[in-house]
Amino acid sequence: MVLELREKLQSLLGDDLTIERELGGGGMARVFLAHERELDRRIVIKVILPDVAGAVSAERFKREIQLAAKLQHPHIVPVINAVSAGDLLYYTMPYVDGESLAMRLSRAGAVPVGEAIHILRDSIRALAYAHRHGVVHRDIKPANILLSEDSALVADFGIAKALSDAGGADRGLTTVGLSVGTPAYMAPEQSVGDAVDQRADIYSLGAVAYEMLSGAHVFAGKTAQQVMAAHVMETPAPLQTKAPLVSAALANLVMRCLEKDPNSRPQSADDLLHELDAAVTPSSGTVSVASARGRSRPVAIAASILLALLLLGGGALAFTPKDKLATAMALMRRKPAQLHTNRVIVAPFTNDTGNPKLASLGSMAADWLAQGLSRAGGLEVVDARTAMVTGDVVDKTPWPFRSRDRGKAIAEETGSGILISGTIYQDGDSLRISAKMTDVLSGKVLLVLTPISGPAAAPTKILDALTKRAVANIVQARDPDRVFALGEYSEIPSVEAYDELLKGIEGYFRGDTSGYAHLEKAIAIDSSYPTPVVFLAFSRLYRGDFAIAKKLLARAETLRNVMAPADRAMTDHLEALMRADGSAALAAAQQFMAVTPGSQESPLLLASVALSISRPHTALAALEHVDPDRGLNLAGPFYWTYEAGAYIALGKFRQALDFSRAGVKRFPDERMANSYEESLAALGKWMS
């Protein structure tokens, strides 16, 4: 990939610039050293990686870089220009003859105190100048501090903001699993997606200073996930315990830079420079205004920051957790996903058409392909609604608490060992769909499908062809001797009907009735499409609209032969509830769970039905299939409530209290969980 990127870049640069070698790179860019013939000088070219470049607006990126390029300071490496050519996005800057602070630390360990102070002073001066001109760096780290002779220079000013702002609200870098900045040095408020100012740079420089003086990262020995969490929650070990030769004044200043609360840090780089001068001048009795200012309690600050952890992706849906702190802790501590080698999930396809009329086509492609695989048999197939809900949960779960790749993260949440993913392109009046099958654990691509093409005016025909070809190829690849038939199923609905279905489901999960109109519209657009009928019946019945639900179920019965297995099982369940037939409702819930592998919700449905007809053992058996740290269990206390309810029914009150307390600990605001603990304590049964 690097060789291909280098060749493509060289062809764009022409004869004036010759790439000499690669200097390295990170999660967002590759770095090359080039020789500029006309001026006979070396320059550095940083190429934004394609998956990152694809998520940003090239024009907005270039505008932000132009603003940063105006910074002219002896301790700032200037940006020469930013270029968008073809599918490449890159910027250039002068080559600094020397090494980065990261290289220096790797080569020689801790930096002598005098030299470290010199590097800090130069870096602070660069920050002070940039901050006065309205530019916050956002990615201060040893790799961006360059050492040349007796000076330190800060590189990549404005790059993090350029990438972030160029991402925009609807094409941000979180959609490709990337956050702007380096988690190892990122301020707590930046880690959780809050607005940042110059004090975030001061925190990051504090982390760099700690590493320079001690020879080890402030949270050494932790994984990337643990480091990011530690920046938010943990108080670092005092610097003097790691570097006893550092004066108390300097050590205290570094630790103040690492305060969780931005208000407790030096408030500007100018303040920091003055405090540094005071700290390294023994005769000075200076006490800064910032150091005399009252500070917020660290625990309270950490908690308030963590409350935003699951909101990094934007506005919260109805199932976004109310108790973000406890949920964040669960995410940090949860075990790796248990993958089932025979379970497959079709992730919503990436939609690169740019056509708003086809916005739902990616979800639609995944839905129909999953239905086709389910009908073919031989695999556990995660149904489309489970994939959709899980995708929303994944989107609200920040990296590094999940895999960067969205499809892989969805697969892990559902325990799927096989991932099918794809991309939809539009070339003029034609659509083209590509797809592949990947082993989730190893990352090995197991099968690449020949792309399907067709007229953009007839997307459903293309999806039908995709389903038939993909199912045939996937089944044959896994078992060449198998003979199968897809059987009878409903025709693929129109894109308009499917779009209304998605809006209806979203309305339901927001907890309001706005989805009814969308579901009714989907039914009106395509009367032969069973899913919106079943889902509307489900939502109406569970809101107590029994007369409407009864009519919808009668209509659903006329479509039974073309229903997907999950729709059929749910219809049976709803009809049994309407008849008040508990045993039939339980049997249908068991069938629903069987045809929705990977769902964290279907075992909860089964448990609730079992408890309602006094079958606590059945409820506990269903709950064994639930991972309380995944899926919608991150959003509500149902798992703990049902566990407690089952043990109450069995007279095992100690176990019931344990689960109810665990639910209260995770969701202290939820009355459903609180009621169990309150009732158990009031009855005194937990004492038995």
Side-chain angles (χ1 to χ4, degrees):
M1 175 183 174
V2 174
L3 181 60
E4 179 183 347
L5 181 63
R6 175 173 175 168
E7 291 174 348
K8 183 182 293 187
L9 177 62
Q10 184 62 74
S11 68
L12 291 172
L13 296 174
D15 296 332
D16 188 48
L17 287 169
T18 302
I19 298 175
E20 294 184 351
R21 69 178 190 274
E22 184 182 6
L23 296 177
M28 290 194 177
R30 305 304 303 178
V31 185
F32 298 94
L33 177 64
H35 179 260
E36 187 176 13
R37 293 183 182 179
E38 186 173 344
L39 298 178
D40 191 23
R41 64 173 180 174
R42 286 176 161 182
I43 66 169
V44 171
I45 304 174
K46 292 197 173 184
V47 184
I48 307 301
L49 292 178
D51 57 347
V52 179
V56 303
S57 162
E59 289 305 313
R60 291 178 67 180
F61 176 82
K62 289 166 65 177
R63 284 200 299 271
E64 290 294 334
I65 293 296
Q66 287 169 359
L67 293 175
K70 295 179 181 179
L71 297 177
Q72 299 293 324
H73 187 272
H75 297 296
I76 292 178
V77 181
V79 175
I80 299 174
N81 66 353
V83 179
S84 174
D87 59 350
L88 289 187
L89 187 63
Y90 64 89
Y91 60 98
T92 62
M93 60 187 196
Y95 173 68
V96 176
D97 190 11
E99 64 180 348
S100 70
L101 177 57
M103 295 176 182
R104 167 70 173 76
L105 289 168
S106 177
R107 174 175 57 81
V111 178
V113 175
E115 184 183 350
I117 292 170
H118 183 73
I119 293 170
L120 277 175
R121 187 176 280 118
D122 286 353
S123 301
I124 295 169
R125 286 170 175 161
L127 288 176
Y129 175 85
H131 293 168
R132 286 195 297 272
H133 288 78
V135 178
V136 178
H137 193 290
R138 300 172 185 240
D139 195 19
I140 291 293
K141 58 185 177 182
N144 280 337
I145 297 175
L146 308 183
L147 309 178
S148 180
E149 296 185 355
D150 60 349
S151 292
L153 298 89
V154 180
D156 281 1
F157 265 101
I159 304 305
K161 185 174 188 297
L163 286 171
S164 177
D165 288 1
D170 58 347
R171 46 186 293 159
L173 295 178
T174 54
T175 61
V176 293
L178 294 170
S179 57
V180 177
T182 303
Y185 302 92
M186 197 181 286
E189 64 271 23
Q190 188 176 358
S191 296
V192 299
D194 284 348
V196 300
D197 56 23
Q198 72 278 359
R199 295 171 297 181
D201 284 349
I202 290 172
Y203 181 96
S204 298
L205 188 61
V208 172
Y210 190 107
E211 187 170 350
M212 273 201 297
L213 293 165
S214 69
H217 186 270
V218 62
F219 295 116
K222 296 180 181 291
T223 65
Q225 293 182 353
Q226 292 168 339
V227 167
M228 192 172 182
H231 277 304
V232 175
M233 293 192 308
E234 293 185 22
T235 300
L239 177 57
Q240 278 198 304
T241 65
K242 304 291 184 180
L245 296 181
V246 175
S247 69
L250 178 57
N252 290 339
L253 177 58
V254 172
M255 296 305 293
R256 284 193 46 247
C257 291
L258 292 171
E259 287 281 359
K260 308 300 183 190
D261 181 6
N263 291 324
S264 297
R265 302 170 202 153
Q267 295 299 286
S268 70
D270 285 320
D271 286 348
L272 179 57
L273 186 59
H274 294 152
E275 292 191 48
L276 177 64
D277 289 340
V280 299
T281 306
S283 60
S284 172
T286 303
V287 178
S288 72
V289 174
S291 65
R293 184 183 291 114
R295 301 178 189 173
S296 303
R297 293 172 57 200
V299 173
I301 295 303
S304 67
I305 291 172
L306 275 170
L307 289 180
L309 263 176
L310 295 183
L311 300 177
L312 286 179
L317 297 180
F319 51 79
T320 299
K322 292 183 178 180
D323 189 342
K324 314 291 190 306
L325 176 59
T327 302
M329 295 296 294
L331 287 168
M332 291 175 216
R333 295 170 178 169
R334 67 179 180 175
K335 298 177 181 179
Q338 297 296 310
L339 302 181
H340 300 262
T341 57
N342 198 47
R343 182 177 298 169
V344 60
I345 187 167
V346 187
F349 280 27
T350 301
N351 190 332
D352 279 351
T353 64
N355 186 343
K357 293 182 179 180
L358 300 176
S360 61
L361 199 58
S363 296
M364 197 171 172
D367 190 341
W368 240 252
L369 182 48
Q371 288 193 41
L373 287 169
S374 180
R375 288 191 300 272
L379 286 168
E380 284 189 7
V381 183
V382 177
D383 76 292
R385 246 59 64 200
T386 296
M388 187 186 308
V389 170
T390 305
D392 284 333
V393 172
V394 163
D395 290 340
K396 296 297 179 288
T397 304
W399 183 86
F401 300 132
R402 65 168 177 89
S403 294
R404 285 182 183 270
D405 180 83
R406 185 175 187 266
K408 182 180 180 182
I410 294 173
E412 290 173 342
E413 289 297 314
T414 57
S416 303
I418 302 171
L419 168 66
I420 297 174
S421 57
T423 306
I424 305 174
Y425 307 91
Q426 183 164 3
D427 304 314
D429 294 331
S430 298
L431 290 179
R432 175 168 49 89
I433 305 179
S434 63
K436 63 181 179 180
M437 182 169 68
T438 306
D439 180 272
V440 176
L441 185 61
S442 67
K444 179 181 178 181
V445 176
L446 304 175
L447 178 68
V448 177
L449 296 176
T450 303
I452 296 284
S453 298
T460 56
K461 291 184 178 180
I462 305 173
L463 293 188
D464 187 54
L466 169 73
T467 299
K468 292 174 180 176
R469 179 182 295 181
V471 171
N473 278 264
I474 291 167
V475 171
Q476 293 297 314
R478 291 181 60 83
D479 186 355
D481 298 326
R482 244 191 96 210
V483 177
F484 69 96
L486 290 182
E488 186 178 6
Y489 61 98
S490 65
E491 292 184 2
I492 298 178
S494 67
V495 175
E496 293 79 10
Y498 197 85
D499 190 50
E500 294 298 329
L501 169 68
L502 294 186
K503 291 176 181 177
I505 293 174
E506 289 169 1
Y508 173 80
F509 281 114
R510 281 196 303 270
D512 57 44
T513 59
S514 65
Y516 290 168
H518 291 293
L519 293 169
E520 289 165 355
K521 189 173 181 180
I523 295 169
I525 292 172
D526 193 335
S527 59
S528 64
Y529 184 25
T531 300
V533 180
V534 176
F535 197 88
L536 184 56
F538 164 81
S539 57
R540 285 290 195 178
L541 190 151
Y542 272 84
R543 288 187 181 275
D545 300 328
F546 301 115
I548 298 175
K550 185 176 181 180
K551 291 180 180 179
L552 288 165
L553 288 171
R555 182 167 187 169
E557 274 299 326
T558 66
L559 302 171
R560 175 175 287 273
N561 289 340
V562 293
M563 283 182 183
D567 285 344
R568 190 176 300 120
M570 179 53 66
T571 299
D572 291 340
H573 173 67
L574 297 176
E575 289 176 343
L577 290 179
M578 291 291 292
R579 299 192 307 269
D581 186 341
S583 296
L586 182 69
Q590 289 172 323
Q591 178 61 20
F592 184 73
M593 178 175 157
V595 298
T596 55
S599 170
Q600 294 294 324
E601 295 71 56
S602 56
L604 296 176
L605 173 66
L606 176 55
S608 69
V609 176
L611 289 175
S612 71
I613 60 173
S614 301
R615 298 277 295 274
H617 288 293
T618 302
L620 290 175
L623 293 170
E624 289 179 1
H625 296 273
V626 174
D627 184 340
D629 294 329
R630 296 191 181 275
L632 290 187
N633 297 307
L634 295 170
F638 301 103
Y639 167 77
W640 294 271
T641 301
Y642 295 156
E643 286 276 9
Y647 281 114
I648 288 174
L650 293 171
K652 298 182 178 181
F653 301 113
R654 289 185 183 277
Q655 292 95 321
L657 186 58
D658 287 342
F659 275 104
S660 65
R661 282 178 171 168
V664 170
K665 185 176 180 180
R666 180 76 73 88
F667 300 98
D669 295 335
E670 291 286 352
R671 296 191 61 82
M672 183 180 294
N674 287 340
S675 63
Y676 273 107
E677 183 170 16
E678 291 168 1
S679 61
L680 285 170
L683 290 171
K685 290 182 177 180
W686 58 275
M687 294 292 293
S688 61

